[in-house]
Amino acid sequence: MSKMLLLLVLLSLLSPAAEALVNGLALKPTMGWLHWERFMCNTDCDTDPDNCISERLYMQMADMMVKDGWKEAGYEYVCIDDCWPSYQRDARGRLQADPKRFPGGIKKLADYVHSKGLKLGIYADVGEKTCAGYPGSLGYYETDAQTFADWDVDLLKFDGCNLKWTLLGDGYIKMSEALNKTGRSILYSCEWPLYEWPFQKPNYTAIRETCNHWRNFNDVFDSWNSIKSILDWTASHQDIIVPSAGPGGWNDPDMLVIGNFGLSHDQQESQMALWAIMAAPLLMSNDLRDICPRSKDLLQNRRIIEISQDPLGKQGHRSAKGNHFEVWERPLSKNRLAVAVLNLQEIGGPRGFAISGVPSWKVCDPQCNVTLILPQYKEMGVQTKESKLILKVNPSGTALLTVTPINDFGRLHWKNTN
């Protein structure tokens, strides 16, 4: 283990994260549904009424979240992204929904979503215009925050287009203050570091004090190359971003694209497993009205969700890389460990990975209990540090497991050597 990685592990295990935004929200990674990757900026409700950005779409997704077990699994936010507003503010300077696509307005939509026991998220931008060219919040931070509160919105995704990068911090902080001033609990999802990284290393202490989660890297696409690029960026910057994550504030690698078109089932399992290891918000962008059963079962897998929502609130990290494998580890509550072994080879068949190659496998001295979660659930039983267990991992797939020290000696060993 490198000195840098050892320092990272010690920081994540022994040091509390920086002071979080004090609004009592996002104590665990946010779970829900967000329209952007799947539905983008489709505003043509005349020719494509089933898929355009309209109140009907969000009502139907809310219905499906209750009907098909998503709410029960833990997904609670139904989130609007860009392209919902009118191109003009109203006479009082307030944002207003497009009257044709949202005839009832956002307040009525929020009431509908709340009637299902769910929460509504909305989108705005720190700059003059949103990324798609709709009115931005620059000069209207307090007005927009109060408007969202009046509408009973529960989450704000605040994008970073169309503003000089040197003004990003001030804009994000002002909107955070404006949201808190309303007195309504509104989870605050930022993109501050995403837009600052091209110019300088962001101040993650300030970001964590301002936001409940924050995007760092490029938008996700419905492709395996996109997923890999996000994992590569995260691993190469983990010494900077991992210590900032914890209850109240999380690094956001962007949406889950599971159940769409671009990923094989093994690749979908890899995204789900690694997002859980990274303590990432689980915001699906798919069509819940038409999703294949295997993707649904994966997204609702309670054992993966338990890792995601683990109360210790520590983000995992990449701990080893070699021979076209990556090992990612996340410390869990009750002295447990979650491990993901990713096979990066995209040719051939399943490849074997010796479990002893997991850097923290020493937690199994003298003994541990191992549970395999992906690719299929299996109790692997009691193992030791000397176990010769081989994991079979499909090309671009992931083996996900939890490791539980059996006795006090094992727990003490884990605490004192990591």
Side-chain angles (χ1 to χ4, degrees), residues 104-112 114 120 149-153:
I106 301 301
K107 177 63 169 68
K108 181 180 177 181
L109 178 58
D111 290 344
Y112 185 86
H114 293 157
L120 182 70
D150 292 342
W151 289 343
D152 291 336
V153 165

Side-chain angles (χ1 to χ4, degrees), residues 50-318:
D50 290 335
N51 299 298
C52 68
I53 306 310
S54 67
E55 64 182 26
R56 179 182 177 212
L57 179 69
Y58 304 101
M59 289 177 176
Q60 289 180 348
M61 292 304 164
D63 292 342
M64 297 307 299
M65 286 178 70
V66 175
K67 177 185 175 183
D68 280 0
W70 301 101
K71 175 186 171 185
E72 185 178 357
Y75 296 91
E76 63 173 338
Y77 286 88
V78 178
C79 298
I80 305 168
D81 209 289
D82 205 346
C83 305
W84 65 269
S86 168
Y87 280 107
Q88 302 295 328
R89 290 177 176 267
D90 69 13
R92 296 169 58 186
R94 298 174 303 182
L95 291 170
Q96 53 188 344
D98 182 278
K100 182 177 179 181
R101 293 182 286 116
F102 294 83
I106 301 301
K107 177 63 169 68
K108 181 180 177 181
L109 178 58
D111 290 344
Y112 185 86
V113 170
H114 293 157
S115 75
K116 302 292 181 178
L118 300 168
K119 297 178 180 178
L120 182 70
I122 204 165
Y123 169 100
D125 192 284
V126 70
E128 293 182 3
K129 294 183 180 297
T130 72
C131 299
Y134 292 85
S137 293
L138 183 64
Y140 294 90
Y141 296 137
E142 290 196 3
T143 298
D144 291 353
Q146 189 58 55
T147 299
F148 300 146
D150 292 342
W151 289 343
D152 291 336
V153 165
D154 304 290
L155 178 152
L156 172 63
K157 176 181 175 180
F158 207 43
D159 215 335
C161 283
N162 299 305
L163 185 70
K164 187 177 180 181
W165 75 270
T166 54
L167 303 177
L168 285 169
D170 182 64
Y172 276 101
I173 290 169
K174 283 181 177 177
M175 179 54 89
S176 183
E177 293 171 345
L179 290 172
N180 285 342
K181 185 179 177 181
T182 68
R184 180 168 179 80
S185 293
I186 300 177
L187 193 154
Y188 188 33
S189 175
C190 301
E191 309 219 346
W192 176 356
L194 167 64
Y195 289 91
E196 191 164 323
W197 266 114
F199 304 99
Q200 67 180 21
K201 173 184 169 183
N203 180 348
Y204 279 93
T205 298
I207 291 167
R208 180 171 169 81
E209 291 172 347
T210 303
C211 310
N212 291 120
H213 39 82
W214 47 87
R215 285 275 310 285
N216 295 303
F217 186 59
N218 295 344
D219 287 3
V220 69
F221 280 67
D222 189 12
S223 79
W224 181 232
N225 281 338
S226 175
I227 301 300
K228 288 190 297 181
S229 71
I230 291 169
L231 294 174
D232 287 344
W233 189 94
T234 300
S236 64
H237 294 81
Q238 62 186 7
D239 57 324
I240 298 171
I241 69 172
V242 168
S244 69
W250 311 95
N251 291 294
D252 180 4
D254 210 6
M255 295 160 278
L256 294 168
V257 294
I258 296 165
N260 290 322
F261 310 99
L263 302 184
S264 70
H265 189 71
D266 286 292
Q267 293 163 356
Q268 292 182 49
E269 289 184 343
S270 292
Q271 189 188 22
M272 189 70 180
L274 272 300
W275 263 235
I277 291 286
M278 292 188 291
L282 301 182
L283 293 171
M284 308 175 289
S285 191
N286 49 23
D287 191 344
L288 300 179
R289 303 165 300 187
D290 182 21
I291 187 169
C292 80
R294 287 187 74 187
S295 297
K296 177 184 173 184
D297 289 345
L298 174 62
L299 286 161
Q300 293 187 5
N301 186 305
R302 65 177 179 83
R303 293 182 177 89
I304 305 175
I305 291 173
E306 284 172 359
I307 293 173
S308 162
Q309 303 292 293
D310 185 77
L312 184 62
K314 295 289 187 182
Q315 179 173 338
H317 61 281
R318 189 177 71 189

